[in-house]
Amino acid sequence: MFAQQLRSNKLRYAGAAVFCCLGLLQAEQPPQFTIQGQVVDPSGAAVAGARVAAARVTEIFASASTDRSGEFSILVPPGSYTVTVAAGGFKDAGREIVVRETRAEPVVITCKSQIGRR
């Protein structure tokens, strides 16, 4: 009986320790903020299906595809990012942005057509 109670207590303490560790890991994650914007062509028309990525230095941090309105939304912690866009029939485009803990203005990225490119 004593051995069974000891094992039961060990399991309780182990479970509590795991729960506490998970709580610490959750608490250490930086707050997340959204990079929102729209990808358009030079005439202002939406570019649907464009791939948008937010990167720090050479590491892609997060990415998304634009919807049929050319809009996208990417969740990232505060910091400096290079936001790049790739879409079929268009030259790759990009923009440097800084995500702060205050509300940010939407990002508009204009893609230029590859037609006539040599």
Side-chain angles (χ1 to χ4, degrees):
M1 174 100 180
F2 177 73
Q4 227 175 4
Q5 188 176 14
L6 185 59
R7 267 187 253 141
S8 178
N9 284 341
K10 283 184 180 178
L11 288 174
R12 282 189 198 134
Y13 290 126
V18 168
F19 183 73
C20 288
C21 288
L22 289 175
L24 289 174
L25 289 175
Q26 186 75 18
E28 290 180 19
Q29 293 180 0
Q32 300 283 300
F33 297 92
T34 304
I35 299 172
Q36 290 181 306
Q38 184 178 31
V39 178
V40 297
D41 69 13
S43 72
V47 177
R51 192 74 183 150
V52 182
R56 286 184 171 173
V57 187
T58 59
E59 171 191 6
I60 293 179
F61 195 84
S63 63
S65 292
T66 57
D67 62 16
R68 63 182 165 174
S69 300
E71 295 178 354
F72 66 92
S73 179
I74 301 173
L75 196 61
V76 296
S80 296
Y81 294 89
T82 300
V83 178
T84 57
V85 175
F90 293 91
K91 296 178 185 178
D92 290 353
R95 187 166 166 195
E96 302 292 323
I97 65 162
V98 176
V99 176
R100 294 188 175 86
E101 294 183 18
T102 57
R103 185 166 187 229
E105 293 297 316
V107 176
V108 176
I109 300 173
T110 303
C111 293
K112 294 184 180 179
S113 174
Q114 285 186 345
I115 297 172
R117 183 178 148 191
R118 294 182 183 200

